[in-house]
PDB file of all heavy atoms in Angstrom:
ATOM      1  N   ARG A 212      80.356  59.488  85.530  1.00  0.00           N
ATOM      2  CA  ARG A 212      80.797  60.634  84.832  1.00  0.00           C
ATOM      3  C   ARG A 212      81.845  61.408  85.679  1.00  0.00           C
ATOM      4  O   ARG A 212      82.344  62.449  85.203  1.00  0.00           O
ATOM      5  CB  ARG A 212      79.612  61.610  84.551  1.00  0.00           C
ATOM      6  CG  ARG A 212      78.578  60.932  83.625  1.00  0.00           C
ATOM      7  CD  ARG A 212      77.481  61.989  83.385  1.00  0.00           C
ATOM      8  NE  ARG A 212      76.479  61.389  82.409  1.00  0.00           N
ATOM      9  CZ  ARG A 212      75.364  62.080  82.056  1.00  0.00           C
ATOM     10  NH1 ARG A 212      75.145  63.258  82.468  1.00  0.00           N
ATOM     11  NH2 ARG A 212      74.576  61.482  81.177  1.00  0.00           N
ATOM     12  N   ASP A 213      82.139  60.972  86.833  1.00  0.00           N
ATOM     13  CA  ASP A 213      83.133  61.609  87.674  1.00  0.00           C
ATOM     14  C   ASP A 213      84.543  61.198  87.414  1.00  0.00           C
ATOM     15  O   ASP A 213      84.795  59.987  87.352  1.00  0.00           O
ATOM     16  CB  ASP A 213      82.725  61.454  89.190  1.00  0.00           C
ATOM     17  CG  ASP A 213      81.463  62.071  89.569  1.00  0.00           C
ATOM     18  OD1 ASP A 213      81.159  63.140  89.062  1.00  0.00           O
ATOM     19  OD2 ASP A 213      80.752  61.440  90.315  1.00  0.00           O
ATOM     20  N   ILE A 214      85.455  62.151  87.227  1.00  0.00           N
ATOM     21  CA  ILE A 214      86.850  61.847  87.079  1.00  0.00           C
ATOM     22  C   ILE A 214      87.560  61.804  88.442  1.00  0.00           C
ATOM     23  O   ILE A 214      87.401  62.736  89.240  1.00  0.00           O
ATOM     24  CB  ILE A 214      87.536  62.886  86.182  1.00  0.00           C
ATOM     25  CG1 ILE A 214      86.885  62.903  84.796  1.00  0.00           C
ATOM     26  CG2 ILE A 214      89.026  62.588  85.972  1.00  0.00           C
ATOM     27  CD1 ILE A 214      86.985  61.597  83.977  1.00  0.00           C
ATOM     28  N   ILE A 215      88.273  60.791  88.722  1.00  0.00           N
ATOM     29  CA  ILE A 215      88.994  60.634  89.959  1.00  0.00           C
ATOM     30  C   ILE A 215      90.454  60.697  89.724  1.00  0.00           C
ATOM     31  O   ILE A 215      91.047  60.069  88.818  1.00  0.00           O
ATOM     32  CB  ILE A 215      88.635  59.245  90.651  1.00  0.00           C
ATOM     33  CG1 ILE A 215      87.138  59.146  90.884  1.00  0.00           C
ATOM     34  CG2 ILE A 215      89.378  59.093  91.922  1.00  0.00           C
ATOM     35  CD1 ILE A 215      86.789  57.830  91.398  1.00  0.00           C
ATOM     36  N   ASP A 216      91.157  61.520  90.535  1.00  0.00           N
ATOM     37  CA  ASP A 216      92.589  61.723  90.528  1.00  0.00           C
ATOM     38  C   ASP A 216      93.251  60.830  91.584  1.00  0.00           C
ATOM     39  O   ASP A 216      92.894  61.089  92.754  1.00  0.00           O
ATOM     40  CB  ASP A 216      92.901  63.147  90.671  1.00  0.00           C
ATOM     41  CG  ASP A 216      94.172  63.574  89.895  1.00  0.00           C
ATOM     42  OD1 ASP A 216      94.209  63.400  88.680  1.00  0.00           O
ATOM     43  OD2 ASP A 216      95.025  64.126  90.593  1.00  0.00           O
ATOM     44  N   VAL A 217      94.079  59.911  91.268  1.00  0.00           N
ATOM     45  CA  VAL A 217      94.688  59.007  92.250  1.00  0.00           C
ATOM     46  C   VAL A 217      96.201  59.122  92.259  1.00  0.00           C
ATOM     47  O   VAL A 217      96.826  59.189  91.253  1.00  0.00           O
ATOM     48  CB  VAL A 217      94.239  57.547  91.961  1.00  0.00           C
ATOM     49  CG1 VAL A 217      94.927  56.614  93.110  1.00  0.00           C
ATOM     50  CG2 VAL A 217      92.795  57.390  91.903  1.00  0.00           C
ATOM     51  N   THR A 218      96.690  59.266  93.488  1.00  0.00           N
ATOM     52  CA  THR A 218      98.178  59.360  93.622  1.00  0.00           C
ATOM     53  C   THR A 218      98.670  58.363  94.682  1.00  0.00           C
ATOM     54  O   THR A 218      98.033  58.257  95.763  1.00  0.00           O
ATOM     55  CB  THR A 218      98.655  60.752  94.107  1.00  0.00           C
ATOM     56  OG1 THR A 218      98.165  61.757  93.151  1.00  0.00           O
ATOM     57  CG2 THR A 218     100.183  60.833  94.143  1.00  0.00           C
ATOM     58  N   LEU A 219      99.636  57.554  94.355  1.00  0.00           N
ATOM     59  CA  LEU A 219     100.245  56.640  95.268  1.00  0.00           C
ATOM     60  C   LEU A 219     101.692  57.008  95.496  1.00  0.00           C
ATOM     61  O   LEU A 219     102.452  57.071  94.537  1.00  0.00           O
ATOM     62  CB  LEU A 219     100.135  55.170  94.783  1.00  0.00           C
ATOM     63  CG  LEU A 219      98.744  54.664  94.471  1.00  0.00           C
ATOM     64  CD1 LEU A 219      98.830  53.321  93.754  1.00  0.00           C
ATOM     65  CD2 LEU A 219      97.873  54.536  95.759  1.00  0.00           C
ATOM     66  N   ILE A 220     102.072  57.229  96.782  1.00  0.00           N
ATOM     67  CA  ILE A 220     103.420  57.629  97.125  1.00  0.00           C
ATOM     68  C   ILE A 220     103.955  56.690  98.191  1.00  0.00           C
ATOM     69  O   ILE A 220     103.289  56.462  99.225  1.00  0.00           O
ATOM     70  CB  ILE A 220     103.545  59.027  97.610  1.00  0.00           C
ATOM     71  CG1 ILE A 220     102.866  60.021  96.690  1.00  0.00           C
ATOM     72  CG2 ILE A 220     104.975  59.413  97.858  1.00  0.00           C
ATOM     73  CD1 ILE A 220     102.856  61.427  97.181  1.00  0.00           C
ATOM     74  N   ALA A 221     105.150  56.168  98.031  1.00  0.00           N
ATOM     75  CA  ALA A 221     105.859  55.405  99.088  1.00  0.00           C
ATOM     76  C   ALA A 221     107.137  56.212  99.451  1.00  0.00           C
ATOM     77  O   ALA A 221     107.879  56.642  98.550  1.00  0.00           O
ATOM     78  CB  ALA A 221     106.260  54.054  98.633  1.00  0.00           C
ATOM     79  N   ARG A 222     107.301  56.452 100.758  1.00  0.00           N
ATOM     80  CA  ARG A 222     108.483  57.233 101.224  1.00  0.00           C
ATOM     81  C   ARG A 222     109.332  56.329 102.172  1.00  0.00           C
ATOM     82  O   ARG A 222     108.850  55.797 103.121  1.00  0.00           O
ATOM     83  CB  ARG A 222     108.016  58.438 102.059  1.00  0.00           C
ATOM     84  CG  ARG A 222     107.054  59.352 101.264  1.00  0.00           C
ATOM     85  CD  ARG A 222     106.532  60.473 102.170  1.00  0.00           C
ATOM     86  NE  ARG A 222     105.646  61.371 101.475  1.00  0.00           N
ATOM     87  CZ  ARG A 222     104.305  61.227 101.411  1.00  0.00           C
ATOM     88  NH1 ARG A 222     103.706  60.311 102.090  1.00  0.00           N
ATOM     89  NH2 ARG A 222     103.591  62.042 100.790  1.00  0.00           N
ATOM     90  N   ARG A 223     110.547  56.073 101.747  1.00  0.00           N
ATOM     91  CA  ARG A 223     111.401  55.213 102.484  1.00  0.00           C
ATOM     92  C   ARG A 223     112.197  55.982 103.561  1.00  0.00           C
ATOM     93  O   ARG A 223     112.775  57.026 103.254  1.00  0.00           O
ATOM     94  CB  ARG A 223     112.388  54.460 101.518  1.00  0.00           C
ATOM     95  CG  ARG A 223     113.214  53.412 102.184  1.00  0.00           C
ATOM     96  CD  ARG A 223     114.161  52.764 101.272  1.00  0.00           C
ATOM     97  NE  ARG A 223     114.825  51.618 101.911  1.00  0.00           N
ATOM     98  CZ  ARG A 223     115.833  50.937 101.334  1.00  0.00           C
ATOM     99  NH1 ARG A 223     116.382  51.349 100.173  1.00  0.00           N
ATOM    100  NH2 ARG A 223     116.412  49.934 101.895  1.00  0.00           N
ATOM    101  N   CYS A 224     112.158  55.436 104.744  1.00  0.00           N
ATOM    102  CA  CYS A 224     112.864  56.110 105.887  1.00  0.00           C
ATOM    103  C   CYS A 224     114.343  55.972 105.683  1.00  0.00           C
ATOM    104  O   CYS A 224     114.804  54.921 105.225  1.00  0.00           O
ATOM    105  CB  CYS A 224     112.411  55.567 107.211  1.00  0.00           C
ATOM    106  SG  CYS A 224     113.151  56.362 108.641  1.00  0.00           S
ATOM    107  N   THR A 225     115.071  56.998 106.028  1.00  0.00           N
ATOM    108  CA  THR A 225     116.547  56.983 105.955  1.00  0.00           C
ATOM    109  C   THR A 225     117.229  56.239 107.063  1.00  0.00           C
ATOM    110  O   THR A 225     118.497  56.006 107.010  1.00  0.00           O
ATOM    111  CB  THR A 225     117.113  58.404 105.869  1.00  0.00           C
ATOM    112  OG1 THR A 225     116.709  59.119 107.020  1.00  0.00           O
ATOM    113  CG2 THR A 225     116.563  59.139 104.602  1.00  0.00           C
ATOM    114  N   ARG A 226     116.468  55.929 108.174  1.00  0.00           N
ATOM    115  CA  ARG A 226     117.129  55.216 109.312  1.00  0.00           C
ATOM    116  C   ARG A 226     117.170  53.674 109.077  1.00  0.00           C
ATOM    117  O   ARG A 226     116.139  53.097 108.550  1.00  0.00           O
ATOM    118  CB  ARG A 226     116.323  55.471 110.564  1.00  0.00           C
ATOM    119  CG  ARG A 226     116.289  56.943 111.030  1.00  0.00           C
ATOM    120  CD  ARG A 226     115.482  57.063 112.272  1.00  0.00           C
ATOM    121  NE  ARG A 226     115.311  58.514 112.693  1.00  0.00           N
ATOM    122  CZ  ARG A 226     114.158  58.981 113.142  1.00  0.00           C
ATOM    123  NH1 ARG A 226     113.098  58.187 113.160  1.00  0.00           N
ATOM    124  NH2 ARG A 226     114.198  60.250 113.493  1.00  0.00           N
ATOM    125  N   ARG A 227     118.198  53.021 109.434  1.00  0.00           N
ATOM    126  CA  ARG A 227     118.303  51.581 109.436  1.00  0.00           C
ATOM    127  C   ARG A 227     117.873  50.968 108.149  1.00  0.00           C
ATOM    128  O   ARG A 227     117.118  50.022 108.083  1.00  0.00           O
ATOM    129  CB  ARG A 227     117.482  51.089 110.542  1.00  0.00           C
ATOM    130  CG  ARG A 227     118.088  51.376 111.967  1.00  0.00           C
ATOM    131  CD  ARG A 227     117.191  50.704 113.051  1.00  0.00           C
ATOM    132  NE  ARG A 227     117.105  49.261 112.947  1.00  0.00           N
ATOM    133  CZ  ARG A 227     118.040  48.413 113.180  1.00  0.00           C
ATOM    134  NH1 ARG A 227     119.238  48.757 113.568  1.00  0.00           N
ATOM    135  NH2 ARG A 227     117.824  47.071 113.089  1.00  0.00           N
TER     136      ARG A 227
END
Side-chain angles (χ1 to χ4, degrees):
R212 297 182 179 180
D213 295 320
I214 301 298
I215 302 177
D216 213 55
V217 181
T218 304
L219 301 174
I220 307 176
R222 305 174 179 93
R223 188 181 186 191
C224 184
T225 58
R226 298 180 183 135
R227 291 182 56 74

